[in-house]
Amino acid sequence: MTFLTNFFNKIKSNANSKSKRTEKTIACDGRNVYQCKSENKEAIAYFNMGVDKYELGDNQGAIAYYNQAIDLDPNFVEAYDNRGIAKYRLGDNKTALLDFNKAILLDPKCAEIYTNRGAAKSQLRDYQGALYDFDRAISLKPDYAEAYYSRSLVKSSLEDLRGTISDLDRAISLKPDYSYAYGNRGIIKSFAGDLSGAIFDLDRAITLDPQNGAYYYNRSNAKYSLGDTRGATNDLTQASKLFYQQGQTDNYNQTIEAMQMLKN
């Protein structure tokens, strides 16, 4: 049996289930995460319309508004950052990098932007460049759980299991309700042969996010390896229901195949 990971959508669990991702979407009004540096009210208005589009899942519409914000204020850091995020979501990682590079030139001490650029570099398989960006984000913001989590994904891709678990441990210590970190640590523990530890982490991930089918699927792997065929079947059944309800066709089909394997 294989694993369904929560790695980059999610930024593939998927990521979202994703990624849930590490990026922040910033609005220059009552919703702001940090204060916008632009003083151009018209640019800010377009920026906020871009945020609204992004939150509705309309990345192209968001980019159009960010373009207008940048035309009005060429030094609008958050507009470059958010436009890069929208491009990342569309899979346009090369031009997303250009936006993150510009944002970093304008604000070289923003940990979130380095983390976003690191995610784009990782998608382009520039793992060393991604590690640099995540290291930089952590140096700027040592309590940034998402940066540790994102760095763990790169270390996993480089098959550095010890480093991966270390970063996930740190992310969880900083953010105890981080379901993705528990889910991915469970996967890594399974690879490392710590099946009981894997089940513990996946139990926690499910408690935090019971609608994520990947957690049930991955827990079924660990249970099956421990000889708990009934428990594995129950988890696969729950995973298949969630994937079907959420329209995750590929994951649903993979889960059905796994269930057929258990029956044979």
Side-chain angles (χ1 to χ4, degrees):
M1 295 173 67
T2 57
F3 289 91
L4 296 179
T5 68
N6 290 309
F7 300 167
F8 290 123
N9 262 28
K10 249 166 165 255
I11 313 178
K12 282 174 177 175
S13 26
N14 120 166
N16 249 54
S17 56
K18 76 75 222 255
S19 191
K20 188 169 277 195
R21 257 174 50 82
T22 57
E23 84 272 8
K24 290 185 180 295
T25 303
I26 309 144
C28 299
D29 57 18
R31 298 166 290 158
N32 62 312
V33 176
Y34 58 84
Q35 186 63 41
C36 277
K37 298 175 177 63
S38 177
E39 296 182 356
N40 186 311
K41 292 182 179 180
E42 188 176 0
I44 290 172
Y46 280 115
F47 177 86
N48 286 335
M49 287 188 281
V51 171
D52 291 337
K53 287 288 187 180
Y54 176 86
E55 291 177 345
L56 291 171
D58 181 1
N59 291 295
Q60 291 287 8
I63 289 170
Y65 281 122
Y66 295 143
N67 288 343
Q68 294 185 72
I70 290 168
D71 286 343
L72 290 164
D73 182 354
N75 294 317
F76 200 156
V77 176
E78 296 85 358
Y80 286 106
D81 187 29
N82 275 20
R83 189 172 69 176
I85 292 166
K87 290 177 179 178
Y88 173 97
R89 287 295 191 182
L90 291 171
D92 186 4
N93 294 294
K94 290 184 178 180
T95 58
L97 274 182
L98 298 177
D99 280 338
F100 295 138
N101 289 342
K102 179 64 173 179
I104 286 171
L105 282 174
L106 293 168
D107 187 358
K109 294 186 178 181
C110 180
E112 287 81 2
I113 302 173
Y114 282 101
T115 301
N116 292 337
R117 190 174 70 174
K121 287 181 178 179
S122 181
Q123 288 294 294
L124 293 168
R125 299 184 182 276
D126 177 10
Y127 296 130
Q128 294 305 318
L131 286 176
Y132 170 86
D133 281 341
F134 297 138
D135 289 346
R136 180 61 176 152
I138 289 167
S139 71
L140 290 166
K141 192 174 180 180
D143 61 348
Y144 191 14
E146 287 79 2
Y148 287 99
Y149 173 80
S150 296
R151 191 172 68 177
S152 79
L153 302 180
V154 176
K155 290 182 177 180
S156 175
S157 296
L158 294 172
E159 299 185 359
D160 177 7
L161 298 188
R162 180 175 296 179
T164 300
I165 288 180
S166 176
D167 276 347
L168 290 171
D169 287 346
R170 182 59 175 156
I172 289 169
S173 70
L174 291 167
K175 188 176 179 180
D177 62 348
Y178 208 159
S179 65
Y180 290 145
Y182 280 106
N184 281 1
R185 192 172 70 175
I187 293 172
I188 298 302
K189 286 182 177 179
S190 289
F191 283 136
D194 180 8
L195 298 173
S196 295
I199 290 173
F200 175 88
D201 279 343
L202 289 162
D203 285 347
R204 180 62 176 155
I206 288 169
T207 297
L208 292 166
D209 184 6
Q211 298 302 307
N212 190 322
Y215 299 150
Y216 296 94
Y217 183 100
N218 292 331
R219 190 173 67 177
S220 77
N221 278 279
K223 288 182 176 180
Y224 179 76
S225 296
L226 287 172
D228 181 6
T229 303
R230 177 177 294 182
T233 300
N234 289 340
D235 276 347
L236 287 174
T237 299
Q238 181 62 21
S240 68
K241 290 178 180 177
L242 290 169
F243 291 143
Y244 181 80
Q245 292 169 1
Q246 296 165 9
Q248 298 185 43
T249 304
D250 290 343
N251 285 346
Y252 173 77
N253 290 335
Q254 184 173 329
T255 304
I256 295 300
E257 290 177 8
M259 293 173 70
Q260 291 298 324
M261 290 173 60
L262 289 185
K263 291 179 180 179
N264 296 330

